Each structure stands twice: as C-alpha cells, then as structure tokens.
Amino acid sequence: MQLADEEKLTKIEVLEENETQAFVDDLKDRFIPEVVANQSLNLDAISGATKLTKAVTSSVEEAITEAGGDPKTFTEAAHVTETKLPDADVTADVVVIGSGASCQLSPLPRRAVRWLFWKKLVI
C-alpha cells in the first residue's frame, strides 16, 4: 500500500492470498481500484466474499497506520454505493444474481441452460 504525503491512497497490492480465484480477481479488478479512486474504505463488500473484503479493508487500515496516516480519514469517508457497470444486451435461460454457494449448488444442470452470472446488480 502506498500513501502519498497528503494522505492519499495511491496503490494497494495484494501480496499473498489463498482464496477462490474469482473473488481475488474481483477484489483486484474492482474493489481495490474503487478504494483508491474514491479514497474511501467505506464501500460495499464483494458479494460472496464479505470476509475477504473485510480482511483487505482491515489490512489497509493497519498499513495506513504504519505509514503514519489516520485510517479514519478513509473509513469515515462518504459511503460509495453505486458501481457503474457497462450496458449490455444479453440472452439467457436462467439469470443468477450473485455467484456464491447457493447458486453454485443450483439443481439445474449447467449444460442444459445458458447461464448468466452477475456479481453485482445495481438497480
């Protein structure tokens, strides 16, 4: 984690992980960039990976403290509630919102239908 002189987050890296790769990818591709872009740790957790998200948030808070910053600057920042997703026209027989254990264990055979997984739905 890099903290600029003016107490701005400039970079957050995951140095070691042992989690489901899809959640780690979502964390690296979406959650961490949103933290840096919004200068806030007050974001919604990744659906299905709440503990992973909270662990990263805690680690960033500790790193901020070690770097001489105040984590409250980032935990008390405005709550970010909306993630802009690109518009897309899609066709599917079954739509599963989320990709946690409940949808992974769905009784429908995966080969019988076209699946569409959305990690997060913004309405």
Side-chain angles (χ1 to χ4, degrees):
M1 198 254 344
Q2 291 179 350
L3 189 64
D5 290 336
E6 59 277 355
E7 283 204 23
K8 283 192 165 201
L9 294 169
T10 57
K11 183 179 181 181
I12 299 171
E13 278 185 76
V14 177
L15 301 177
E16 185 179 320
E17 47 80 14
N18 189 18
E19 287 290 337
T20 304
Q21 194 60 49
F23 294 136
V24 172
D25 291 344
D26 203 16
L27 181 85
K28 290 178 179 179
D29 297 341
R30 188 168 57 93
F31 184 78
I32 289 175
E34 284 184 19
V35 168
V36 174
N38 292 292
Q39 294 296 300
S40 176
L41 291 170
N42 196 5
L43 283 92
D44 291 335
I46 296 169
S47 180
T50 304
K51 289 182 181 179
L52 174 63
T53 307
K54 298 295 181 188
V56 169
T57 301
S58 271
S59 296
V60 171
E61 287 178 31
E62 288 178 30
I64 291 168
T65 301
E66 288 177 17
D70 183 3
K72 287 184 181 181
T73 303
F74 305 98
T75 57
E76 294 177 355
H79 182 74
V80 179
T81 57
E82 186 175 319
T83 301
K84 300 283 184 191
L85 300 176
D87 291 337
D89 292 326
V90 293
T91 302
D93 297 317
V94 176
V95 177
V96 179
I97 306 300
S99 58
S102 60
C103 77
Q104 297 295 328
L105 301 174
S106 173
L108 295 172
R110 289 180 186 247
R111 288 185 214 131
V113 294
R114 288 170 294 187
W115 286 84
L116 174 64
F117 289 94
W118 282 341
K119 294 180 183 175
K120 184 172 184 180
L121 177 66
V122 178
I123 298 176

